Amino acid sequence: MFNKKDKLQAELARIQESDKAYTKRYNELKAKITAISGMDDSEFDAQMSKFESQLHSSNHSIQDHKKTVSDLKVQLNDIYDTLKNQQKSIEDLQDQEVEITNQMHAANDPQEIIELADKYRDKINDLHAQLKQSNSKRDVTQAKYKSIESKISAVNATISDLQVEADKLKKRQSDLNAQKTKNQQTRSMKKADLQKQIDELKNSQTQTRKDIFTLKEELNKSEANVLKWFGMPPKD
């Protein structure tokens, strides 16, 4: 009778230790879930915000440069029209010079040639002066045209470089987003696994506590039998 009670008490002590171990493990698992729940993506969000700001600045700069190219092209078209007009003026002057020269070549009489030369001398000199001035103006305009072409080329190169940097920022954003999503998924999986362990632990602990209750009942019965054996009344 006494041996049975000792065995029951030993078994009860063992199971109660298991219950304590379950409780300890339960608290550890809950602490881990709490820690994971406390994790956030603030570091990723800060980096994303930084990249977003840089990308906005880069895109704004690209638009500004494109506006510059557009304005330069308007100037280029205006200069091109000026060049066409200047070229037309030069061709008109050259036509007048050719017309006078043809008249002089058509004359057969030496006296007529001399008279024509005297008649058109000032006109020819004036045409030459105008041609020289027109050619000079055209050269200046052509230099402006080439200068603006060079500016457009340089600005387009800058736009290309800015676009490359913008694409790099977009790629870094995409990679960061992917890593953020992966981290969130990993945390969710860890929480789910921990919750599964907790559920299994609860089931085990529930059974353990049923066993404790059963053993306590058996101990009470055993103690009642011992008291009865000694002729003592059972405890209330």
Side-chain angles (χ1 to χ4, degrees):
M1 188 179 294
F2 292 105
N3 286 340
K4 182 179 179 182
K5 181 181 178 182
D6 291 342
K7 287 180 180 179
L8 288 172
Q9 286 178 331
E11 182 64 14
L12 179 62
R14 184 187 68 77
I15 294 176
Q16 285 176 330
E17 284 301 315
S18 294
D19 184 60
K20 289 179 183 178
Y22 283 142
T23 300
K24 181 181 178 183
R25 180 60 178 158
Y26 174 84
N27 290 334
E28 289 173 352
L29 292 172
K30 287 294 286 185
K32 286 183 179 181
I33 288 182
T34 301
I36 291 173
S37 297
M39 293 179 183
D40 59 27
D41 302 294
S42 57
E43 183 179 345
F44 283 95
D45 291 339
Q47 286 183 292
M48 285 289 288
S49 178
K50 177 184 174 183
F51 290 151
E52 187 64 34
S53 176
Q54 290 176 342
L55 189 59
H56 177 77
S57 176
S58 181
N59 286 332
H60 186 73
S61 184
I62 287 172
Q63 293 306 314
D64 285 346
H65 281 76
K66 284 183 176 179
K67 176 67 167 56
T68 299
V69 169
S70 179
D71 292 342
L72 287 171
K73 283 183 176 179
V74 171
Q75 294 181 42
L76 202 63
N77 288 333
D78 291 342
I79 292 173
Y80 181 74
D81 290 340
T82 301
L83 268 177
K84 284 198 300 183
N85 293 333
Q86 289 175 338
Q87 184 61 35
K88 180 67 170 55
S89 296
I90 289 170
E91 289 172 358
D92 289 344
L93 291 170
Q94 288 173 335
D95 288 343
Q96 292 179 47
E97 185 181 21
V98 168
E99 184 180 342
I100 292 171
T101 301
N102 288 340
Q103 286 185 38
M104 293 179 69
H105 286 165
N108 295 320
D109 182 10
Q111 185 60 35
E112 185 182 0
I113 293 173
I114 291 170
E115 289 174 0
L116 286 170
D118 289 339
K119 178 182 177 180
Y120 290 114
R121 181 177 293 109
D122 290 341
K123 180 66 173 177
I124 289 172
N125 288 337
D126 184 51
L127 285 173
H128 286 168
Q130 288 185 57
L131 276 169
K132 183 177 180 180
Q133 185 181 33
S134 295
N135 281 323
S136 178
K137 285 181 179 179
R138 184 185 61 183
D139 291 343
V140 171
T141 304
Q142 283 179 331
K144 286 182 180 178
Y145 189 89
K146 289 179 179 178
S147 174
I148 291 178
E149 275 189 323
S150 296
K151 286 180 181 178
I152 290 174
S153 179
V155 176
N156 278 331
T158 300
I159 290 173
S160 180
D161 291 341
L162 286 169
Q163 191 60 58
V164 168
E165 288 304 312
D167 290 342
K168 286 180 180 178
L169 283 171
K170 286 179 183 177
K171 177 66 167 58
R172 291 171 75 181
Q173 274 188 319
S174 177
D175 292 345
L176 203 62
N177 255 329
Q179 186 61 50
K180 178 180 175 180
T181 300
K182 184 179 178 181
N183 287 353
Q184 289 174 337
Q185 290 173 342
T186 300
R187 290 202 299 268
S188 294
M189 289 173 64
K190 284 183 177 178
K191 284 177 70 175
D193 180 63
L194 288 168
Q195 189 59 52
K196 182 181 177 183
Q197 292 182 52
I198 285 175
D199 292 341
E200 290 173 351
L201 198 64
K202 282 181 177 179
N203 291 334
S204 297
Q205 192 169 33
T206 298
Q207 184 58 50
T208 297
R209 288 183 174 177
K210 285 181 180 178
D211 292 342
I212 289 173
F213 179 78
T214 301
L215 283 171
K216 282 184 176 180
E217 282 192 328
E218 289 188 31
L219 271 171
N220 287 336
K221 288 178 183 178
S222 178
E223 188 174 348
N225 289 334
V226 170
L227 291 172
K228 185 178 179 182
W229 188 78
F230 281 107
M232 298 173 66
K235 294 180 180 178
D236 294 333

